Amino acid sequence: MARQKKLVAGKESGTVDMTRGNPVRHILTFAVPLFIGNIFQQVYNIVDTMVAGYNLGDLAIGAIGATATLYTLLVNFANGLNNGFGMIVARYFGAKDSEKLKSSIAAMVTLNSAMTLLLSVISLLFLRPLMRGMNVPDSIFEEAYGYIAVIVAGMTVTILYNMCAGILRAVGNSKIPLCFLVLACILNLFLDVLFIMGLGRGVEGAAMATVIAQGISAFLAGRYIWKHYREILPGKADFRFEASLLKEMLGTGLSMAAMLCMTDLGSVLYQRAINGLGDTLIVAHAAARKIITTLMMPLASIATASSTFVSQNFGAKQYAHIEKSIWKVLGMEVLWGVFSCILVYLFGSQAVRFLTNTQDAGVIENAVLSIRIQFPCYPALGILLCLRTSLQAMGSKLAPVMASGFELAGKIITGFILIPAFGYIWVCLTEPIIWVVCMAFLIAVFVIKNPLKKAMEQAQIKDREEKKKGMEKNKKRIDLCMKTGKGSDCIQNHYIKEKAGKVSEAGCLPGLRRHKAFGSGAGAKAHGNFSG
């Protein structure tokens, strides 16, 4: 127990037990560092785009943008696993189960190592065929390949950082990962200038700068965990997984990975169709995606913070906290969606020029068209993200995966039929339509299935069963005490010693046997002074 108290009370290192206190305060306090961290992580790519655009021209931006969805697909598979694993870690942290907490972290380390190696090898072997399948134009093919090859080769450090950050966030610490990201982002800026402007390495230099900066983040995050969270790190014995825990980890991790991968696979097919529209529209789409992704960060941060809150409270069986928090999170998501929509309508063209430094009227016009069509549906995206992560955190795996399946199907249809037939307008319309459809589906699932209500009912049934067993146990003890002839004294003595933890379930039986054996008050007297 002393070890467990140390684990839960580790606030000096940033650990937060979200099962106690105000839900909204916990979620916002947790989300703000996540948001800032996501912004800085997004800055990695924005800095690449700006430095490349200002120094290498529009084709360099196209080279980075043409393979962005492929890289996202590969990384998000491993990140999806980590997100799922982190939910299980957070659940055991909320339940105050230190043994399973360590075992779940051990499983997280093992599965991440295997998956990272597998993804890196497969990606590098089949990268060129994948890019050909994505219809990357010949004019930017080699530059795009040089960029994505360096990124994929350094994927190990990216996933290592996300694993360390996932462990810290599972126990309620979102501030320390932010510190490492800020440092890495500053370093990334200097390395971009060095490799592109100083050494003339082109877009490959931008990729190298990103990998090195993320590698430093990964090293510092791992070192911090080793120094400040050693009490939750697994030992050799914790790597001997129980089959049930491994099944739970894989089930949640793979469902999260499948959810993200179906989304990103759809984006790869979607990008393939966009790559066939020519250099101008590729650059326009890349610029619009930067704006969309940046303003999505608060939505994603609040949803991620909510999933950690839900996971910890689900483990602690604090269902009332979960129910209140979900409604308030939905309100925050909708408000940010409306604010973002107003922002891009007022300053959309200025944002495109700032990001790309382009003077091409076609790039600016089409990028602005895209964001003005998509942002009115941002509130629907916020609701979708909140419900998807909350359902996953409560162990409901199928519905979020099905919603991602709808997204994949929608992007296949538009990528192979609608975009080739009708052009860029369907690039702009596809995702907003998907967000609304998936949001409606998950709302229906949450209302009809309601895993939170189901968990509450199961907890009530279990409580009733435990009370019934307790009543039966007490009745049995009372009957045994009455048979000794020392009824009320025996019951009172039994109750006092049970409170002190000195009586077993069959505590009256030894006294009863002595009473029967001697056939006199001796047994009763011994039982009345029962010593367990």
PDB file of all heavy atoms in Angstrom, residues 301-327:
ATOM      1  N   SER A 301      -7.079  18.478 -28.982  1.00  0.00           N
ATOM      2  CA  SER A 301      -6.504  18.547 -27.637  1.00  0.00           C
ATOM      3  C   SER A 301      -7.569  18.328 -26.575  1.00  0.00           C
ATOM      4  O   SER A 301      -7.364  17.591 -25.602  1.00  0.00           O
ATOM      5  CB  SER A 301      -5.818  19.900 -27.414  1.00  0.00           C
ATOM      6  OG  SER A 301      -4.771  20.084 -28.329  1.00  0.00           O
ATOM      7  N   ILE A 302      -8.720  18.978 -26.740  1.00  0.00           N
ATOM      8  CA  ILE A 302      -9.807  18.813 -25.770  1.00  0.00           C
ATOM      9  C   ILE A 302     -10.321  17.385 -25.802  1.00  0.00           C
ATOM     10  O   ILE A 302     -10.590  16.781 -24.750  1.00  0.00           O
ATOM     11  CB  ILE A 302     -10.940  19.821 -26.068  1.00  0.00           C
ATOM     12  CG1 ILE A 302     -10.456  21.243 -25.784  1.00  0.00           C
ATOM     13  CG2 ILE A 302     -12.171  19.514 -25.227  1.00  0.00           C
ATOM     14  CD1 ILE A 302     -11.412  22.320 -26.239  1.00  0.00           C
ATOM     15  N   ALA A 303     -10.448  16.803 -26.995  1.00  0.00           N
ATOM     16  CA  ALA A 303     -10.918  15.422 -27.102  1.00  0.00           C
ATOM     17  C   ALA A 303      -9.935  14.450 -26.457  1.00  0.00           C
ATOM     18  O   ALA A 303     -10.335  13.503 -25.767  1.00  0.00           O
ATOM     19  CB  ALA A 303     -11.144  15.058 -28.568  1.00  0.00           C
ATOM     20  N   THR A 304      -8.627  14.673 -26.655  1.00  0.00           N
ATOM     21  CA  THR A 304      -7.614  13.808 -26.053  1.00  0.00           C
ATOM     22  C   THR A 304      -7.619  13.936 -24.536  1.00  0.00           C
ATOM     23  O   THR A 304      -7.534  12.943 -23.808  1.00  0.00           O
ATOM     24  CB  THR A 304      -6.222  14.153 -26.602  1.00  0.00           C
ATOM     25  OG1 THR A 304      -6.228  13.997 -28.018  1.00  0.00           O
ATOM     26  CG2 THR A 304      -5.160  13.243 -26.008  1.00  0.00           C
ATOM     27  N   ALA A 305      -7.713  15.176 -24.034  1.00  0.00           N
ATOM     28  CA  ALA A 305      -7.784  15.397 -22.592  1.00  0.00           C
ATOM     29  C   ALA A 305      -9.015  14.720 -22.010  1.00  0.00           C
ATOM     30  O   ALA A 305      -8.964  14.097 -20.936  1.00  0.00           O
ATOM     31  CB  ALA A 305      -7.810  16.895 -22.290  1.00  0.00           C
ATOM     32  N   SER A 306     -10.124  14.817 -22.726  1.00  0.00           N
ATOM     33  CA  SER A 306     -11.359  14.175 -22.270  1.00  0.00           C
ATOM     34  C   SER A 306     -11.210  12.659 -22.218  1.00  0.00           C
ATOM     35  O   SER A 306     -11.713  12.003 -21.294  1.00  0.00           O
ATOM     36  CB  SER A 306     -12.513  14.561 -23.200  1.00  0.00           C
ATOM     37  OG  SER A 306     -13.708  13.912 -22.818  1.00  0.00           O
ATOM     38  N   SER A 307     -10.498  12.080 -23.190  1.00  0.00           N
ATOM     39  CA  SER A 307     -10.326  10.622 -23.191  1.00  0.00           C
ATOM     40  C   SER A 307      -9.502  10.158 -22.001  1.00  0.00           C
ATOM     41  O   SER A 307      -9.788   9.111 -21.412  1.00  0.00           O
ATOM     42  CB  SER A 307      -9.667  10.161 -24.498  1.00  0.00           C
ATOM     43  OG  SER A 307      -8.300  10.518 -24.540  1.00  0.00           O
ATOM     44  N   THR A 308      -8.469  10.933 -21.608  1.00  0.00           N
ATOM     45  CA  THR A 308      -7.696  10.588 -20.418  1.00  0.00           C
ATOM     46  C   THR A 308      -8.571  10.687 -19.170  1.00  0.00           C
ATOM     47  O   THR A 308      -8.532   9.822 -18.293  1.00  0.00           O
ATOM     48  CB  THR A 308      -6.477  11.513 -20.282  1.00  0.00           C
ATOM     49  OG1 THR A 308      -5.652  11.379 -21.440  1.00  0.00           O
ATOM     50  CG2 THR A 308      -5.649  11.171 -19.051  1.00  0.00           C
ATOM     51  N   PHE A 309      -9.361  11.760 -19.088  1.00  0.00           N
ATOM     52  CA  PHE A 309     -10.277  11.927 -17.960  1.00  0.00           C
ATOM     53  C   PHE A 309     -11.267  10.764 -17.888  1.00  0.00           C
ATOM     54  O   PHE A 309     -11.490  10.180 -16.821  1.00  0.00           O
ATOM     55  CB  PHE A 309     -11.037  13.249 -18.098  1.00  0.00           C
ATOM     56  CG  PHE A 309     -12.033  13.506 -17.010  1.00  0.00           C
ATOM     57  CD1 PHE A 309     -11.656  14.166 -15.853  1.00  0.00           C
ATOM     58  CD2 PHE A 309     -13.341  13.067 -17.130  1.00  0.00           C
ATOM     59  CE1 PHE A 309     -12.576  14.395 -14.838  1.00  0.00           C
ATOM     60  CE2 PHE A 309     -14.266  13.284 -16.123  1.00  0.00           C
ATOM     61  CZ  PHE A 309     -13.883  13.953 -14.976  1.00  0.00           C
ATOM     62  N   VAL A 310     -11.866  10.428 -19.033  1.00  0.00           N
ATOM     63  CA  VAL A 310     -12.841   9.334 -19.066  1.00  0.00           C
ATOM     64  C   VAL A 310     -12.187   8.003 -18.698  1.00  0.00           C
ATOM     65  O   VAL A 310     -12.753   7.214 -17.939  1.00  0.00           O
ATOM     66  CB  VAL A 310     -13.515   9.250 -20.463  1.00  0.00           C
ATOM     67  CG1 VAL A 310     -14.358   7.987 -20.588  1.00  0.00           C
ATOM     68  CG2 VAL A 310     -14.373  10.483 -20.710  1.00  0.00           C
ATOM     69  N   SER A 311     -10.983   7.753 -19.207  1.00  0.00           N
ATOM     70  CA  SER A 311     -10.293   6.486 -18.913  1.00  0.00           C
ATOM     71  C   SER A 311     -10.019   6.339 -17.419  1.00  0.00           C
ATOM     72  O   SER A 311     -10.295   5.290 -16.823  1.00  0.00           O
ATOM     73  CB  SER A 311      -8.973   6.406 -19.687  1.00  0.00           C
ATOM     74  OG  SER A 311      -9.197   6.311 -21.068  1.00  0.00           O
ATOM     75  N   GLN A 312      -9.454   7.383 -16.794  1.00  0.00           N
ATOM     76  CA  GLN A 312      -9.165   7.307 -15.363  1.00  0.00           C
ATOM     77  C   GLN A 312     -10.437   7.113 -14.552  1.00  0.00           C
ATOM     78  O   GLN A 312     -10.493   6.279 -13.639  1.00  0.00           O
ATOM     79  CB  GLN A 312      -8.441   8.576 -14.892  1.00  0.00           C
ATOM     80  CG  GLN A 312      -6.987   8.651 -15.307  1.00  0.00           C
ATOM     81  CD  GLN A 312      -6.224   9.708 -14.522  1.00  0.00           C
ATOM     82  OE1 GLN A 312      -6.676  10.189 -13.492  1.00  0.00           O
ATOM     83  NE2 GLN A 312      -5.048  10.074 -15.024  1.00  0.00           N
ATOM     84  N   ASN A 313     -11.497   7.860 -14.866  1.00  0.00           N
ATOM     85  CA  ASN A 313     -12.738   7.767 -14.102  1.00  0.00           C
ATOM     86  C   ASN A 313     -13.503   6.485 -14.386  1.00  0.00           C
ATOM     87  O   ASN A 313     -14.201   5.975 -13.514  1.00  0.00           O
ATOM     88  CB  ASN A 313     -13.616   8.992 -14.381  1.00  0.00           C
ATOM     89  CG  ASN A 313     -13.162  10.209 -13.613  1.00  0.00           C
ATOM     90  OD1 ASN A 313     -13.556  10.420 -12.473  1.00  0.00           O
ATOM     91  ND2 ASN A 313     -12.300  11.007 -14.231  1.00  0.00           N
ATOM     92  N   PHE A 314     -13.349   5.953 -15.597  1.00  0.00           N
ATOM     93  CA  PHE A 314     -13.978   4.669 -15.909  1.00  0.00           C
ATOM     94  C   PHE A 314     -13.331   3.559 -15.077  1.00  0.00           C
ATOM     95  O   PHE A 314     -14.003   2.665 -14.584  1.00  0.00           O
ATOM     96  CB  PHE A 314     -13.857   4.368 -17.400  1.00  0.00           C
ATOM     97  CG  PHE A 314     -14.837   3.344 -17.894  1.00  0.00           C
ATOM     98  CD1 PHE A 314     -16.153   3.683 -18.111  1.00  0.00           C
ATOM     99  CD2 PHE A 314     -14.437   2.038 -18.156  1.00  0.00           C
ATOM    100  CE1 PHE A 314     -17.071   2.738 -18.576  1.00  0.00           C
ATOM    101  CE2 PHE A 314     -15.333   1.095 -18.610  1.00  0.00           C
ATOM    102  CZ  PHE A 314     -16.653   1.443 -18.824  1.00  0.00           C
ATOM    103  N   GLY A 315     -11.997   3.638 -14.938  1.00  0.00           N
ATOM    104  CA  GLY A 315     -11.310   2.666 -14.090  1.00  0.00           C
ATOM    105  C   GLY A 315     -11.711   2.790 -12.635  1.00  0.00           C
ATOM    106  O   GLY A 315     -11.807   1.791 -11.914  1.00  0.00           O
ATOM    107  N   ALA A 316     -11.960   4.032 -12.184  1.00  0.00           N
ATOM    108  CA  ALA A 316     -12.355   4.275 -10.792  1.00  0.00           C
ATOM    109  C   ALA A 316     -13.866   4.153 -10.577  1.00  0.00           C
ATOM    110  O   ALA A 316     -14.341   4.347  -9.459  1.00  0.00           O
ATOM    111  CB  ALA A 316     -11.899   5.665 -10.372  1.00  0.00           C
ATOM    112  N   LYS A 317     -14.617   3.867 -11.651  1.00  0.00           N
ATOM    113  CA  LYS A 317     -16.076   3.722 -11.596  1.00  0.00           C
ATOM    114  C   LYS A 317     -16.775   5.012 -11.163  1.00  0.00           C
ATOM    115  O   LYS A 317     -17.818   4.977 -10.514  1.00  0.00           O
ATOM    116  CB  LYS A 317     -16.480   2.546 -10.684  1.00  0.00           C
ATOM    117  CG  LYS A 317     -15.973   1.200 -11.175  1.00  0.00           C
ATOM    118  CD  LYS A 317     -16.387   0.072 -10.253  1.00  0.00           C
ATOM    119  CE  LYS A 317     -16.007  -1.288 -10.838  1.00  0.00           C
ATOM    120  NZ  LYS A 317     -14.564  -1.423 -11.084  1.00  0.00           N
ATOM    121  N   GLN A 318     -16.203   6.148 -11.570  1.00  0.00           N
ATOM    122  CA  GLN A 318     -16.800   7.455 -11.288  1.00  0.00           C
ATOM    123  C   GLN A 318     -17.655   7.876 -12.484  1.00  0.00           C
ATOM    124  O   GLN A 318     -17.331   8.801 -13.232  1.00  0.00           O
ATOM    125  CB  GLN A 318     -15.699   8.486 -11.010  1.00  0.00           C
ATOM    126  CG  GLN A 318     -14.845   8.198  -9.808  1.00  0.00           C
ATOM    127  CD  GLN A 318     -15.599   8.433  -8.499  1.00  0.00           C
ATOM    128  OE1 GLN A 318     -16.593   9.146  -8.450  1.00  0.00           O
ATOM    129  NE2 GLN A 318     -15.111   7.812  -7.435  1.00  0.00           N
ATOM    130  N   TYR A 319     -18.777   7.193 -12.679  1.00  0.00           N
ATOM    131  CA  TYR A 319     -19.570   7.371 -13.897  1.00  0.00           C
ATOM    132  C   TYR A 319     -20.280   8.726 -13.948  1.00  0.00           C
ATOM    133  O   TYR A 319     -20.491   9.280 -15.028  1.00  0.00           O
ATOM    134  CB  TYR A 319     -20.573   6.233 -14.027  1.00  0.00           C
ATOM    135  CG  TYR A 319     -19.925   4.875 -14.022  1.00  0.00           C
ATOM    136  CD1 TYR A 319     -20.254   3.919 -13.068  1.00  0.00           C
ATOM    137  CD2 TYR A 319     -18.957   4.539 -14.968  1.00  0.00           C
ATOM    138  CE1 TYR A 319     -19.644   2.672 -13.056  1.00  0.00           C
ATOM    139  CE2 TYR A 319     -18.341   3.306 -14.963  1.00  0.00           C
ATOM    140  CZ  TYR A 319     -18.692   2.367 -14.004  1.00  0.00           C
ATOM    141  OH  TYR A 319     -18.078   1.142 -13.984  1.00  0.00           O
ATOM    142  N   ALA A 320     -20.673   9.266 -12.790  1.00  0.00           N
ATOM    143  CA  ALA A 320     -21.333  10.576 -12.777  1.00  0.00           C
ATOM    144  C   ALA A 320     -20.390  11.665 -13.276  1.00  0.00           C
ATOM    145  O   ALA A 320     -20.807  12.571 -14.002  1.00  0.00           O
ATOM    146  CB  ALA A 320     -21.814  10.895 -11.366  1.00  0.00           C
ATOM    147  N   HIS A 321     -19.102  11.575 -12.910  1.00  0.00           N
ATOM    148  CA  HIS A 321     -18.109  12.538 -13.407  1.00  0.00           C
ATOM    149  C   HIS A 321     -18.010  12.474 -14.927  1.00  0.00           C
ATOM    150  O   HIS A 321     -17.909  13.506 -15.594  1.00  0.00           O
ATOM    151  CB  HIS A 321     -16.738  12.225 -12.800  1.00  0.00           C
ATOM    152  CG  HIS A 321     -16.576  12.741 -11.412  1.00  0.00           C
ATOM    153  ND1 HIS A 321     -15.346  12.829 -10.786  1.00  0.00           N
ATOM    154  CD2 HIS A 321     -17.477  13.212 -10.518  1.00  0.00           C
ATOM    155  CE1 HIS A 321     -15.503  13.327  -9.582  1.00  0.00           C
ATOM    156  NE2 HIS A 321     -16.788  13.566  -9.395  1.00  0.00           N
ATOM    157  N   ILE A 322     -18.018  11.271 -15.460  1.00  0.00           N
ATOM    158  CA  ILE A 322     -17.890  11.098 -16.915  1.00  0.00           C
ATOM    159  C   ILE A 322     -19.071  11.727 -17.636  1.00  0.00           C
ATOM    160  O   ILE A 322     -18.904  12.460 -18.622  1.00  0.00           O
ATOM    161  CB  ILE A 322     -17.780   9.603 -17.270  1.00  0.00           C
ATOM    162  CG1 ILE A 322     -16.497   9.006 -16.670  1.00  0.00           C
ATOM    163  CG2 ILE A 322     -17.798   9.413 -18.786  1.00  0.00           C
ATOM    164  CD1 ILE A 322     -16.399   7.498 -16.826  1.00  0.00           C
ATOM    165  N   GLU A 323     -20.275  11.449 -17.152  1.00  0.00           N
ATOM    166  CA  GLU A 323     -21.478  11.946 -17.825  1.00  0.00           C
ATOM    167  C   GLU A 323     -21.502  13.471 -17.877  1.00  0.00           C
ATOM    168  O   GLU A 323     -21.786  14.072 -18.921  1.00  0.00           O
ATOM    169  CB  GLU A 323     -22.716  11.425 -17.091  1.00  0.00           C
ATOM    170  CG  GLU A 323     -24.016  11.700 -17.824  1.00  0.00           C
ATOM    171  CD  GLU A 323     -25.198  11.012 -17.173  1.00  0.00           C
ATOM    172  OE1 GLU A 323     -25.098  10.633 -15.987  1.00  0.00           O
ATOM    173  OE2 GLU A 323     -26.227  10.855 -17.846  1.00  0.00           O
ATOM    174  N   LYS A 324     -21.172  14.129 -16.757  1.00  0.00           N
ATOM    175  CA  LYS A 324     -21.156  15.592 -16.722  1.00  0.00           C
ATOM    176  C   LYS A 324     -20.083  16.153 -17.642  1.00  0.00           C
ATOM    177  O   LYS A 324     -20.303  17.148 -18.344  1.00  0.00           O
ATOM    178  CB  LYS A 324     -20.909  16.068 -15.293  1.00  0.00           C
ATOM    179  CG  LYS A 324     -22.068  15.819 -14.339  1.00  0.00           C
ATOM    180  CD  LYS A 324     -21.702  16.264 -12.926  1.00  0.00           C
ATOM    181  CE  LYS A 324     -22.824  15.939 -11.945  1.00  0.00           C
ATOM    182  NZ  LYS A 324     -22.454  16.313 -10.554  1.00  0.00           N
ATOM    183  N   SER A 325     -18.921  15.528 -17.642  1.00  0.00           N
ATOM    184  CA  SER A 325     -17.802  16.065 -18.418  1.00  0.00           C
ATOM    185  C   SER A 325     -18.055  15.998 -19.919  1.00  0.00           C
ATOM    186  O   SER A 325     -17.693  16.914 -20.652  1.00  0.00           O
ATOM    187  CB  SER A 325     -16.503  15.318 -18.073  1.00  0.00           C
ATOM    188  OG  SER A 325     -16.510  14.007 -18.592  1.00  0.00           O
ATOM    189  N   ILE A 326     -18.682  14.925 -20.389  1.00  0.00           N
ATOM    190  CA  ILE A 326     -18.903  14.763 -21.832  1.00  0.00           C
ATOM    191  C   ILE A 326     -19.766  15.899 -22.380  1.00  0.00           C
ATOM    192  O   ILE A 326     -19.474  16.479 -23.441  1.00  0.00           O
ATOM    193  CB  ILE A 326     -19.517  13.390 -22.146  1.00  0.00           C
ATOM    194  CG1 ILE A 326     -18.454  12.293 -21.950  1.00  0.00           C
ATOM    195  CG2 ILE A 326     -20.056  13.346 -23.573  1.00  0.00           C
ATOM    196  CD1 ILE A 326     -18.977  10.890 -22.127  1.00  0.00           C
ATOM    197  N   TRP A 327     -20.840  16.246 -21.663  1.00  0.00           N
ATOM    198  CA  TRP A 327     -21.698  17.334 -22.132  1.00  0.00           C
ATOM    199  C   TRP A 327     -20.944  18.659 -22.200  1.00  0.00           C
ATOM    200  O   TRP A 327     -21.107  19.434 -23.145  1.00  0.00           O
ATOM    201  CB  TRP A 327     -22.911  17.468 -21.212  1.00  0.00           C
ATOM    202  CG  TRP A 327     -23.951  16.424 -21.455  1.00  0.00           C
ATOM    203  CD1 TRP A 327     -24.257  15.349 -20.679  1.00  0.00           C
ATOM    204  CD2 TRP A 327     -24.822  16.346 -22.599  1.00  0.00           C
ATOM    205  NE1 TRP A 327     -25.257  14.602 -21.255  1.00  0.00           N
ATOM    206  CE2 TRP A 327     -25.633  15.183 -22.425  1.00  0.00           C
ATOM    207  CE3 TRP A 327     -25.005  17.122 -23.734  1.00  0.00           C
ATOM    208  CZ2 TRP A 327     -26.590  14.802 -23.347  1.00  0.00           C
ATOM    209  CZ3 TRP A 327     -25.973  16.740 -24.662  1.00  0.00           C
ATOM    210  CH2 TRP A 327     -26.747  15.596 -24.459  1.00  0.00           C
TER     211      TRP A 327
END
